[in-house]
């Protein structure tokens, strides 16, 4: 099989009997080149299968016009929404986005960091795995003045720009809501405490119980990856014996939906017998019956903030020299799964 020969602007110039500089300017929409010539050049480029060598251009000016993005799973509603917004915003400024997923594997995240650095990305945005506690595999970006932004799942006290949700307030708000709707025995299903999200949501949950003088019980909190399979196993433990809890705060909506389905299976009425709240405001939480109360993390706003931070850092000569945190607000979206009269509580007045 013969090796395919790449067409260059020289070939286009020879075919059209134009200078190489004219062809180059036409392909880059230079204002001094007429619309007629631009169209003629671009038509010939398409016909000949010409592809611009962006890698070579990047080596010449030390810019790839490509930004790396690492997320745990692109299939999840929250990172998918953020990724879309980031891509759209960056494209407006002439950048391409290279999206990678770690599949919540630390080994994969380390490999992706190395790959993206080798690919000469101009900047990198990362939402880490559930188990990332050592962030040294990202040091090479800071050491080489490559902008680095962490979002959602983030390090603490690492010298970098961080954009995160108010997860403590989220945990506090949703637990307070359940208590105000009459719940006195609330189960919390959390993700692993190696991840900042769940450390803060658990802290909010505990604070709400304390404010309302409800004892914290270790037997009423569960830690695991928030998958449907794990949620079903936890349901078997929660409902193995009575008394059943009267409220469940699940740290994601997949888990909340699984709890709802399990309660339906064992003839527990929601919200009459038990109230359920989730987290993330996944669209499924709104369309299921009964619809599920959830915490909206404002992913579109977070995506906009991440893109803005990347663009700002790309204009600076030095990377972030200290921990720089930006908090995205949360909003509790109340739905049918927690309906009921507001009751007087014993919490302290603010």
């Amino acid at each position: 099989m013969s090796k395919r020969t790449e067409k260059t602007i020289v070939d286009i110039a020879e075919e059209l009997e134009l200078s190489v500089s004219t062809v180059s300017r036409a392909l880059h929409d230079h204002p001094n080149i007429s619309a007629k010539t631009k169209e003629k050049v671009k038509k010939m480029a398409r016909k000949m299968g010409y592809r611009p060598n962006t890698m070579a251009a990047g080596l010449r000016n030390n810019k790839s016009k490509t930004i790396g993005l690492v997320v745990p799973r692109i299939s999840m509603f929250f990172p998918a929404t953020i990724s879309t917004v980031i891509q759209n915003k960056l494209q407006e400024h002439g950048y391409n986005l290279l999206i990678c997923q770690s599949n919540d594997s630390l080994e994969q995240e380390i490999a992706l960091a190395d790959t993206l650095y080798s690919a000469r990305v101009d900047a990198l945005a990362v939402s880490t795995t559930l188990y990332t506690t050592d962030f040294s595999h990202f040091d090479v970006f800071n050491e080489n003045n490559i902008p680095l932004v962490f979002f959602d799942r983030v390090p603490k006290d690492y010298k970098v720009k961080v954009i995160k949700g108010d997860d403590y307030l989220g945990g506090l708000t949703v637990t307070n809501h359940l208590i105000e709707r009459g719940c006195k025995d609330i189960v919390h299903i959390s993700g692993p405490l190696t991840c900042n999200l769940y450390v803060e949501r658990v802290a909010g949950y505990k604070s709400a119980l304390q404010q309302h003088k409800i004892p914290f019980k270790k037997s009423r909190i569960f830690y695991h990856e928030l998958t449907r399979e794990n949620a079903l196993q936890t349901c078997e433990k929660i409902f193995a014996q009575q008394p059943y809890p009267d409220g469940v705060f699940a740290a994601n909506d997949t888990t909340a939906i699984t709890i709802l389905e399990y309660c339906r299976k064992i003839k527990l009425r929601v919200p009459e017998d038990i109230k359920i709240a989730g987290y993330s405001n996944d669209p499924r939480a709104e369309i299921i019956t009964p619809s599920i109360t959830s915490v909206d993390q404002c992913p579109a706003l977070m995506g906009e903030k991440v893109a803005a931070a990347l663009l700002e850092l790309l204009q600076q000569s030095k990377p972030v020299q200290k921990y720089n945190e930006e908090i995205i607000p949360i909003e509790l979206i109340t739905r049918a799964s927690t309906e009921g009269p507001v009751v007087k509580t014993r919490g302290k007045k603010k």
Side-chain angles (χ1 to χ4, degrees), residues 322-336:
K322 62 182 180 179
Y323 184 79
N324 185 331
E325 183 178 274
E326 185 171 357
I327 304 294
I328 303 299
I330 57 90
E331 180 184 1
L332 182 68
I333 309 298
T334 58
R335 298 193 176 101

Side-chain angles (χ1 to χ4, degrees), residues 224-236 254-255 258:
H224 54 66
E225 290 190 29
L226 298 172
T227 64
R228 177 176 173 79
E229 293 72 23
N230 287 340
L232 286 171
Q233 291 177 19
T234 296
C235 283
E236 297 288 346
T254 295
T255 300
T258 306

Side-chain angles (χ1 to χ4, degrees), residues 168 172 176 179-180 203-214 345-350:
Y168 171 80
L172 180 71
N176 274 334
I179 294 169
E180 289 163 0
Y205 162 75
K206 289 181 177 179
S207 291
L209 295 180
Q210 184 178 24
Q211 287 177 16
H212 294 277
K213 305 186 186 308
I214 297 175
T345 64
R346 297 167 61 192
K348 296 178 182 179
K349 292 183 179 179
K350 294 186 178 180

Side-chain angles (χ1 to χ4, degrees), residues 35 109 241:
E109 182 181 270
Q241 61 183 16

Side-chain angles (χ1 to χ4, degrees), residues 166-179 186 188 197-198 200-209 249 278-279 295 330 332:
D166 199 339
D167 289 286
Y168 171 80
L169 181 60
L172 180 71
T173 302
V174 72
T175 309
N176 274 334
H177 172 72
L178 288 168
I179 294 169
I186 302 171
H188 179 38
L197 302 181
Y198 306 115
E200 295 180 17
R201 291 175 198 174
V202 167
Y205 162 75
K206 289 181 177 179
S207 291
L209 295 180
F249 165 28
Y279 211 103
V295 176
I330 57 90
L332 182 68

Side-chain angles (χ1 to χ4, degrees), residues 67-72 82 86 90 97-98 109 113 116 121-129 135 137-142 145-156 158-165 301-316 318-328:
I67 293 176
L69 176 68
V70 180
V71 295
I82 291 176
I86 293 174
L90 293 179
L97 189 65
L98 186 57
E109 182 181 270
L116 290 168
V121 293
D122 293 341
L124 178 65
V126 183
S127 180
T128 67
T129 78
F135 301 86
H137 45 291
F138 297 108
D139 288 351
V140 66
F141 291 88
N142 275 338
N145 294 345
I146 300 170
L148 178 60
V149 174
F150 286 89
F151 66 95
D152 191 40
R153 300 179 181 180
V154 302
K156 183 178 181 181
Y158 187 65
K159 293 181 179 179
V160 73
K161 174 72 176 183
V162 161
I163 299 172
K164 52 177 284 193
L301 177 58
M302 183 172 286
E304 291 174 1
K305 294 291 187 180
V306 172
L310 289 166
L311 292 168
E312 181 181 353
L313 290 170
L314 284 163
Q315 301 302 314
Q316 299 178 6
K318 292 183 179 180
V320 174
Q321 299 295 313
K322 62 182 180 179
Y323 184 79
N324 185 331
E325 183 178 274
E326 185 171 357
I327 304 294
I328 303 299

